[in-house]
Amino acid sequence: MAIQWYPGHMHKAQKDIRELLPQVDLLIEVLDARIPYSSENPSIAKIRGDKPCIKILSKSDLADPLVTAAWQAHLELQRGVKTFATTTDEPAKIKQLLALCRQMFPAKDAGVKTINAMIVGIPNVGKSTIINTLADRVIAKTGNEPAVTKSQQRINLGSGIVLFDTPGILWPKIENPNSSYRLAVTGAIKSTAMEYDDVGFYAADYLIKAYPELLKERFQLESIPDTELAFLEVAALRRGALSAGGRINLHKICELLINELRAGTVGRISLETPDMVVAEEIIIAEAQAKKAADAAERKRRFKQGSRNPSESELAEQEANNAKRAPRGSRPPKATKPTKSRKSK
């Protein structure tokens, strides 16, 4: 699924973050505990370098606790990274973040020097609620929809910590197609930029494999069907997601499933694990390497002035000829063009 949602304020925010990051001591990145990898901005990872970073796994009450623990161990393998799992309903625990910030800079703590921190995160991950809790007052606007914060602001949290808030941002191109679906399932993307049916089928397929017992309990099923379509049809009958004439309304049941996943009523569910992501990154790297090799080969042949098609291009040409050939006739075979002889 390709995401077509990158508002202008996100482009500006991305630029502002790049300019501000060298001036701050600490980066605080708010991740969705259900999708720590997919909610991590790759652009931030590239420009962070060795700058200390606290990764907050927000909404951890909605995530599988065992998977969250695995993610914390995995993320803390990175140099200078500490993790902090919390929820927006735990103000006392969120305030422990201030002490963690001071612990990461013992020299500044001893000298009572100001720590400049910048907080970043994707839309609808709970960043604004965390800021309001830390500041003990309403500073950042909150809402149960993405892209509420639209501009940067500077907040004095006390305890010698100054926080720079930034709008929630995605990035122009999401390389991992699974991440696009996961961001849509968790609500990081506006509903107008996604297809509920498409996302619902993805979610159903994953849940059947990863959390079948939770599905059986939530939808009161004795067994789980083998395919996402079969499950959605049974779930629609259970929930009355029907159109006129008693037909299954797939859009309605997909929307219902996604909303219940977001609210946590299906159960504590994580949509990715470290092992899953490592395997996906290998596949993506191989695909990118092949794409780069193909581009390099096209460039090489162009520089040589060769108009001879490659073997893969010949195969594609033969396939196209077969489609166009009349039924019962033999399609012409693709051949490499021969060089014309110069007349003497």
Side-chain angles (χ1 to χ4, degrees), residues 7 34 43 53 72 93 138 198 223 262 278 287 293 312 314 324:
R34 297 166 293 180
S43 301
C53 178
Q72 289 189 263
K93 186 173 183 180
V138 177
D198 191 21
S223 61
R262 291 174 180 174
V278 168
S312 61
L314 284 173
R324 290 193 294 265

Side-chain angles (χ1 to χ4, degrees), residues 6 15 22-23 26 31 48 59 67 104 114 156 164-165 171 186 193 206 209 220 222 234 248 257 269 310 312 318 342:
Y6 189 63
K15 182 181 177 182
Q23 304 173 35
L26 172 69
L31 308 176
R48 179 177 74 86
K59 302 186 179 183
V67 178
M104 296 188 73
T114 299
N156 191 339
F164 293 89
D165 180 24
W171 39 104
T186 55
Y206 175 76
K209 299 169 183 174
Q220 300 177 355
E222 293 185 1
V234 172
I248 301 295
L257 175 63
I269 289 170
S310 65
S312 61
E318 286 189 13
K342 294 181 180 179

Side-chain angles (χ1 to χ4, degrees), residues 294 297-302 304-318 320-321 333-339:
D294 291 344
E297 174 62 17
R298 287 193 299 270
K299 186 176 181 180
R300 183 191 67 80
R301 289 193 289 110
F302 178 78
Q304 290 180 344
S306 170
R307 297 186 61 83
N308 291 342
S310 65
E311 294 299 326
S312 61
E313 289 171 332
L314 284 173
E316 184 178 355
Q317 185 179 341
E318 286 189 13
N320 290 334
N321 289 340
K333 186 175 181 180
T335 58
K336 293 184 178 182
T338 58
K339 295 181 179 179

Side-chain angles (χ1 to χ4, degrees), residues 24-273:
V24 303
D25 304 304
L26 172 69
L27 180 69
I28 301 173
E29 185 169 18
V30 185
L31 308 176
D32 189 318
R34 297 166 293 180
I35 52 169
Y37 166 79
S38 296
S39 58
E40 185 179 44
N41 190 329
S43 301
I44 298 297
K46 289 178 182 177
I47 63 177
R48 179 177 74 86
D50 292 332
K51 193 176 293 293
C53 178
I54 298 175
K55 294 184 182 289
I56 300 177
L57 275 66
S58 181
K59 302 186 179 183
S60 60
D61 56 325
L62 301 178
D64 185 327
L66 294 178
V67 178
T68 298
W71 270 114
Q72 289 189 263
H74 179 78
L75 292 170
E76 291 192 359
L77 292 175
Q78 301 175 35
R79 182 179 177 182
V81 172
K82 295 291 184 183
T83 61
F84 187 85
T86 187
T87 76
T88 54
D89 297 326
E90 296 179 312
K93 186 173 183 180
I94 290 174
K95 289 183 179 180
Q96 294 174 13
L97 183 63
L98 298 174
L100 180 58
C101 291
R102 303 296 311 181
Q103 290 171 17
M104 296 188 73
F105 294 91
K108 286 199 173 191
D109 193 22
V112 198
K113 294 182 179 179
T114 299
I115 296 173
N116 292 312
M118 180 169 65
I119 188 166
V120 299
I122 64 169
N124 202 28
V125 77
K127 179 168 63 68
S128 295
T129 302
I130 290 172
I131 292 171
N132 292 338
T133 302
L134 292 174
D136 275 329
R137 60 191 187 278
V138 177
I139 291 177
K141 184 180 178 182
T142 62
N144 191 27
E145 62 178 19
V148 172
T149 304
K150 297 281 180 73
S151 60
Q152 188 181 114
Q153 54 184 334
R154 183 179 182 273
I155 307 156
N156 191 339
L157 299 178
S159 302
I161 300 174
V162 173
L163 186 67
F164 293 89
D165 180 24
T166 59
I169 57 172
L170 292 174
W171 39 104
K173 185 178 181 181
I174 298 174
E175 299 290 346
N176 189 332
N178 291 299
S179 291
S180 299
Y181 282 107
R182 293 165 188 156
L183 287 165
V185 170
T186 55
I189 300 165
K190 280 198 172 183
S191 58
T192 53
M194 57 175 269
E195 294 288 340
Y196 273 103
D197 296 22
D198 191 21
V199 177
F201 269 74
Y202 177 88
D205 179 61
Y206 175 76
L207 293 173
I208 287 170
K209 299 169 183 174
Y211 295 97
E213 294 304 316
L214 290 181
L215 285 184
K216 283 198 293 186
E217 182 179 350
R218 180 61 185 168
F219 291 91
Q220 300 177 355
L221 303 174
E222 293 185 1
S223 61
I224 296 295
D226 294 330
T227 69
E228 61 270 38
L229 176 59
F231 164 73
L232 289 169
E233 289 177 339
V234 172
L237 291 172
R238 285 285 188 185
R239 294 301 181 83
L242 306 172
S243 299
R247 292 175 300 171
I248 301 295
N249 188 327
L250 286 175
H251 177 87
K252 187 174 181 179
I253 189 59
C254 285
E255 187 173 357
L256 185 149
L257 175 63
I258 292 168
N259 288 335
E260 292 199 356
L261 270 172
R262 291 174 180 174
T265 52
V266 178
R268 299 183 68 174
I269 289 170
S270 293
L271 297 173
E272 58 192 17
T273 68

